[in-house]
Amino acid sequence: MKIGLAQTKFPRSKFEALQIVGSMVRQASQIDCEIICFPESIIPGLRGVGYHVDAYDHTFQKDAIDVVCRLAELHNINIILPIEWKEESGLYLVALVISTDGKIIGSQTKNQFDPEEDQFEYTPGQKRHIFEVNGVKFGIVICHEGWRYPETVRWAAMNHARIVFHPQFTGEVSNPDFFNHAMVCRSLENNIYFASVNYALDHQKSTSSLISPQGERLMTVKPGAEELLVYDINPALADLSLANRFDPNRF
């Protein structure tokens, strides 16, 4: 299964965000990627991290989703699209999964937030989901969840996910080793692929990376580089051996 991880620049506006998505989708399609994943809240951008982000515009968000659905169908590619989305129950950070026929087949909310995100009054989601594309099951954990709540990744692996996608934003942090090694831990403690997708940032200390089920760093994008990381994974190598041995009844 050929995957694409899109380390994009941070959008200067919601309009540029949509252009960035379109450009990366076309690039991934040209090299026969089956699925592409973008960083956390690519549309309209992630709040509270030092960049301007446009005010939430529900009409724009809805129209943008329609555009990306058409892109998925036109270019015959599955898309993981992290966005902001407001419902009657609250404002969510969510990753939509869009199929090659331009349909939304599911979504994963961000259920665990960093304390600094409380100021934006996001609503935490309540459920986790497994998705399947071309016979490969996968999960999604969003930024803070994958770093500090390893249970989110374990849950996906215990429900037969061969790969977990990790849309994130991590800029100039004082402890980059934590973030870079956490990716390896999430992979190796479950024997799955772990695919982490960051923005291209100045002074970037954690970059987009793909980790093998054996904890090997298969590919890493250079810090600050706008680049599409592409790799043809072998789902059979993700044997879930350690995840399958986990017994919650022993706690």
Side-chain angles (χ1 to χ4, degrees), residues 4-43:
L5 308 180
Q7 182 165 290
T8 73
K9 67 178 180 179
F10 197 97
R12 290 169 294 186
S13 70
K14 58 192 177 187
F15 302 102
E16 184 177 55
L18 188 54
Q19 292 173 352
I20 288 170
V21 170
S23 176
M24 280 289 189
V25 165
R26 286 187 286 272
Q27 184 179 338
S29 172
Q30 290 170 357
I31 49 179
D32 298 322
C33 284
E34 296 172 63
I35 189 167
I36 182 173
C37 183
F38 289 90
E40 182 179 12
S41 192
I42 183 66
I43 300 176

Side-chain angles (χ1 to χ4, degrees), residues 7 36 40 67 69-70 90 101 109 116 125 127 141 144 165 171 174 177-178 182 192 216 232 235 240:
Q7 182 165 290
I36 182 173
E40 182 179 12
V67 169
C69 285
R70 290 196 294 272
D101 61 1
T109 50
E116 294 183 0
K127 296 181 179 180
V141 301
H144 184 67
F165 290 94
S174 60
D177 285 347
F178 165 77
I192 59 168
E216 177 188 3
D232 196 354
L240 312 172

Side-chain angles (χ1 to χ4, degrees), residues 5 32 59 80 84 134 145 150-151 165 169 178 200-201 209 215 249:
L5 308 180
D32 298 322
T59 298
I80 298 174
E84 282 188 333
N134 297 347
E145 297 183 315
E151 299 87 352
F165 290 94
F169 177 105
F178 165 77
L201 304 166
S209 298
N249 297 317

Side-chain angles (χ1 to χ4, degrees), residues 41-135:
S41 192
I42 183 66
I43 300 176
L46 186 65
R47 302 185 190 281
V49 293
Y51 294 82
H52 166 78
V53 178
D54 289 338
Y56 182 82
D57 181 339
H58 191 73
T59 298
F60 181 87
Q61 293 296 95
K62 183 177 182 298
D63 291 344
I65 292 170
D66 289 342
V67 169
V68 178
C69 285
R70 290 196 294 272
L71 285 169
E73 184 176 21
L74 177 63
H75 295 286
N76 192 39
I77 188 171
N78 300 279
I79 300 172
I80 298 174
L81 179 71
I83 66 164
E84 282 188 333
W85 185 251
K86 183 175 285 187
E87 298 181 353
E88 289 185 3
S89 53
L91 178 63
Y92 294 88
L93 287 173
V94 62
L96 304 179
V97 180
I98 302 170
S99 68
T100 55
D101 61 1
K103 306 295 184 184
I104 297 173
I105 61 174
S107 63
Q108 177 61 62
T109 50
K110 188 174 185 179
N111 300 346
Q112 298 282 347
F113 287 94
D114 187 290
E116 294 183 0
E117 294 176 306
D118 290 345
Q119 62 183 303
F120 304 110
E121 299 183 348
Y122 289 121
T123 301
Q126 301 298 320
K127 296 181 179 180
R128 307 214 68 83
H129 303 279
I130 294 295
F131 310 93
E132 185 170 342
V133 163
N134 297 347

